[in-house]
């Protein structure tokens, strides 16, 4: 666990590059961000945030999957995170113990979404913060089993098989692209 903390602390300053860059692009007016929900109204705000989340879910799924499938990316970037692969070595700190470029690549869909869909700036910033909380949560080995949430049970399977459960907040992308493996299936096989 100490190694996980050290790796996370070394990478943390570089993780700040992407939110800083995205805020700079917003301030320059290069994105489709807006300041207040009243600028678009609640109905459009909910519609836009739904599209934003789908873009992020899709983008993070594929970014994570490619970090596994493209061997040099795995070897030089993502393997740093996967040295914590057994249930007894996973901890919330493992969720932030990434190579800095790996962490930036997996957060990139949040920034790409700013160019594709109108997004309220504070919502974007809150979702980036939630990213860190969520990442810690899915590495704590405590499976909450709330459908369709990609909880720790699903992500622990990812850390032990390498070929399943690449998704982010939900299991939908894994279901859609055939990489979903349910924690219940693993429990049955273990018994």
């Amino acid at each position: 666990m100490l190694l996980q903390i050290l790796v996370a602390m070394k990478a943390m300053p570089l993780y700040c590059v992407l939110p800083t860059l995205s805020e700079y692009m917003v301030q320059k007016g290069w994105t489709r961000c807006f300041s207040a929900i009243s600028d678009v109204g609640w109905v459009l705000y909910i519609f836009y945030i739904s599209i934003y989340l789908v873009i992020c879910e899709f983008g993070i799924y594929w970014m994570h999957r490619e970090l596994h499938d493209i061997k040099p990316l795995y070897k030089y970037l993502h393997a740093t995170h996967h040295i914590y692969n057994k249930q007894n070595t996973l901890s919330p700190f493992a969720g932030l113990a990434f190579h800095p470029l790996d962490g930036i690549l997996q957060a990139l869909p949040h920034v790409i979404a700013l160019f594709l869909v109108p997004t309220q700036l504070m919502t974007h910033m809150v979702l980036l913060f939630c990213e860190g909380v969520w990442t810690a949560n899915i590495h704590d080995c405590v499976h909450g089993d709330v459908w369709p949430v990609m909880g720790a049970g699903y992500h622990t399977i990812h850390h032990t098989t390498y070929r399943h459960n690449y998704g982010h907040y939900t299991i939908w992308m894994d279901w859609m692209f055939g990489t979903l493996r349910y924690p219940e299936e693993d429990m049955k096989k273990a018994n």
Side-chain angles (χ1 to χ4, degrees):
M1 195 177 301
L2 184 59
L3 179 60
Q4 295 170 23
I5 293 168
L6 291 172
V7 170
M9 294 304 288
K10 282 174 34 182
M12 199 64 65
L14 293 172
Y15 289 161
C16 297
V17 169
L18 193 61
T20 303
L21 184 60
S22 71
E23 190 167 340
Y24 175 78
M25 291 185 289
V26 168
Q27 296 301 323
K28 287 292 192 179
W30 299 343
T31 67
R32 301 191 66 195
C33 273
F34 56 91
S35 298
I37 294 171
S38 60
D39 292 347
V40 297
W42 279 100
V43 172
L44 270 180
Y45 170 75
I46 291 168
F47 176 72
Y48 290 149
I49 199 65
S50 298
I51 293 171
Y52 176 99
L53 288 170
V54 167
I55 290 169
C56 290
E57 198 69 33
F58 181 83
I60 292 168
Y61 170 87
W62 280 105
M63 188 65 71
H64 190 188
R65 187 168 173 175
E66 294 307 309
L67 282 163
H68 280 263
D69 290 347
I70 300 172
K71 298 305 174 204
L73 289 179
Y74 185 83
K75 181 179 179 181
Y76 296 109
L77 299 179
H78 200 56
T80 301
H81 174 67
H82 271 276
I83 61 173
Y84 321 107
N85 275 341
K86 300 295 178 236
Q87 189 167 0
N88 62 349
T89 59
L90 281 177
S91 79
F93 298 109
L96 299 171
F98 281 95
H99 184 287
L101 187 54
D102 182 352
I104 289 169
L105 286 172
Q106 290 197 60
L108 196 58
H110 282 279
V111 176
I112 292 169
L114 295 178
F115 291 93
L116 301 176
V117 62
T119 307
Q120 198 258 344
L121 176 59
M122 185 54 71
T123 301
H124 166 69
M125 292 301 183
V126 167
L127 286 170
L128 283 178
F129 172 77
C130 289
E131 199 68 27
V133 173
W134 183 253
T135 301
N137 177 308
I138 62 173
H139 290 88
D140 69 4
C141 297
V142 178
H143 181 51
D145 197 19
V146 179
W147 187 91
V149 174
M150 174 68 75
Y154 290 97
H155 201 70
T156 300
I157 291 169
H158 170 75
H159 273 267
T160 56
T161 69
Y162 298 90
R163 307 304 310 160
H164 301 93
N165 303 350
Y166 300 102
H168 190 49
Y169 292 124
T170 71
I171 61 172
W172 292 332
M173 294 299 155
D174 284 288
W175 173 78
M176 213 178 329
F177 296 110
T179 55
L180 181 62
R181 187 156 160 191
Y182 294 93
E184 296 78 22
E185 291 174 18
D186 264 27
M187 284 186 240
K188 286 178 187 171
K189 287 179 185 175
N191 292 332

